[in-house]
Amino acid sequence: MPTWILVVVGAAFLAWTNGANDVFKGVATLYGCGTASYRAALTWATITTAAGSLCAALVSNGLVRAFSAKGLVPDEVAAAPSFSSSVALGAATTVWLATRFGLPISTTHAIVGALVGAGWICAAGAVDFSRLGSQFLIPLAASPLVALALGALVYAAARSFRARFGIREDSCACVELPNHAVVSAGLPLPVSVTTCAADDASTAVRRGARFGIRADSALDLLHFLSSGATSFARGLNDAPKIAGLLVLVSAATVSSGWLLVGIALVMSIGGWVGARRVAQTVSLEITELNAGQGLAANLSTAVLVLTASRFGVPVSTTHTSCGAIIGVGVVTRRANTAVVGKIVLAWLFTLPIAALLAGFLAWIFGEAARA
């Protein structure tokens, strides 16, 4: 079998496992607080993640270059199909194992670990560890802490705002509309906004004199939009990392744009088929959530990941989304410390396990080439 076929198989396996482990994280709060069913949330996640993956061709070339390993190992090693296939298969196997146990881990961490392991075997002594630290490890280590702090801050601020203005789920903003005579005369529209109880708003709508927007309906809409933004950001940030493993061995015949289309498709299939176990952990076991808390976590995640994608910074969408949810749980004092501890332990082991698997595969492929 030609070695480049192993690269394609490895990248496809990685895209599939990434979808199974990561696709649902953007909509975990929708399912966790009961705003949407599992299938409805998964459908929304699949659509928005695929959209982000396709848009990555326009804005995420920095991540494609970063994960092609150029500069981390010598160019001739980075361009070797045996190296790329070892990285892809090592990272994919690591993510697959975590998914089987329902553990949300970082595909980014798995790829970085696999790059180090395969690089150590294929280019002993030539791995640029200084670049590894500045370009990969520092952003990856900082992202969960920043997400935790931002998630806690956004939720605390939103809770304070709600208490300050006495907003409840059944609160309603009612907008006074001008009567027909005012409109016909071409006079300025006297629009005013008042608050009322939900039953008054319903009466007003039936009269046709004004319309009302319930707080809980507006919150659900914002929650859906923020989940879509989070999933979009995840696709925007993750798809280029997988494409980076393919771009060097396929650049002569396939553009990175078409690679991202294929990755988006396989990632979507993986999420649709295999997301259930990780969804259970992230949505229901880290902490109890309501719609407002989920909105705060999603906004924090989307802002961080979209910013990182824009500047080519390889943050982990897993770490940011889970970190933001944990941050909300810290504020509400409902975080499940046993589950959080298990997740953090899985994060710590992701990089070394991926490094060992990729290094072992690189050794096997090297021995096979010499035989």
Side-chain angles (χ1 to χ4, degrees), residues 112-185:
V112 171
L115 285 169
V116 173
W120 188 262
I121 297 299
C122 297
V127 178
D128 187 350
F129 285 99
S130 62
R131 185 172 183 270
L132 179 70
S134 62
Q135 186 166 328
F136 294 100
L137 297 185
I138 292 176
L140 291 174
S143 59
L145 300 177
V146 174
L148 189 152
L150 187 59
L153 180 64
V154 170
Y155 173 62
R159 185 175 63 177
S160 176
F161 177 85
R162 179 180 60 81
R164 171 70 177 79
F165 291 96
I167 299 173
R168 304 176 308 175
E169 285 189 359
D170 61 350
S171 297
C172 182
C174 294
V175 181
E176 292 281 357
L177 299 178
N179 60 42
H180 180 72
V182 171
V183 175
S184 300

Side-chain angles (χ1 to χ4, degrees), residues 25-26 147 150-151 154 222-234 236-237 294-310 315-317 320-322 324:
K25 292 167 188 171
L150 187 59
V154 170
L222 290 174
H223 195 182
F224 262 95
L225 292 176
S226 68
S227 293
T230 302
S231 295
F232 180 90
R234 196 199 71 76
L236 192 70
N237 196 267
L295 175 60
N298 286 345
L299 288 176
S300 304
T301 302
V303 167
L304 286 174
V305 178
L306 285 170
T307 302
S309 299
R310 173 63 183 83
V315 302
S316 164
T317 53
T320 52
S321 60
C322 291

Side-chain angles (χ1 to χ4, degrees), residues 15-39:
W16 192 94
T17 56
N18 174 270
N21 198 277
D22 280 20
V23 159
F24 203 84
K25 292 167 188 171
V27 298
T29 58
L30 283 178
Y31 178 48
C33 70
T35 300
S37 66
Y38 172 77
R39 280 298 172 190

Side-chain angles (χ1 to χ4, degrees), residues 177-316:
L177 299 178
N179 60 42
H180 180 72
V182 171
V183 175
S184 300
L187 298 176
L189 301 181
V191 177
S192 62
V193 180
T194 59
T195 59
C196 63
D199 54 349
D200 293 335
S202 299
T203 301
V205 171
R206 285 197 297 271
R207 285 203 312 265
R210 57 186 178 178
F211 64 89
I213 304 172
R214 281 178 55 108
D216 54 355
S217 299
L219 185 61
D220 286 345
L221 175 61
L222 290 174
H223 195 182
F224 262 95
L225 292 176
S226 68
S227 293
T230 302
S231 295
F232 180 90
R234 196 199 71 76
L236 192 70
N237 196 267
D238 277 10
K241 300 168 186 175
I242 301 171
L245 301 176
L246 288 166
V247 71
L248 286 179
V249 296
S250 62
T253 56
V254 183
S255 69
S256 59
W258 282 110
L259 291 177
L260 289 168
V261 170
I263 289 167
L265 177 61
V266 177
M267 193 184 292
S268 298
I269 295 172
W272 190 261
V273 173
R276 175 76 72 171
R277 293 182 182 180
V278 173
Q280 177 76 17
T281 301
V282 180
S283 300
L284 305 176
E285 296 180 9
I286 293 178
T287 187
E288 296 180 21
L289 290 170
N290 60 34
Q293 293 159 359
L295 175 60
N298 286 345
L299 288 176
S300 304
T301 302
V303 167
L304 286 174
V305 178
L306 285 170
T307 302
S309 299
R310 173 63 183 83
F311 292 100
V313 179
V315 302
S316 164

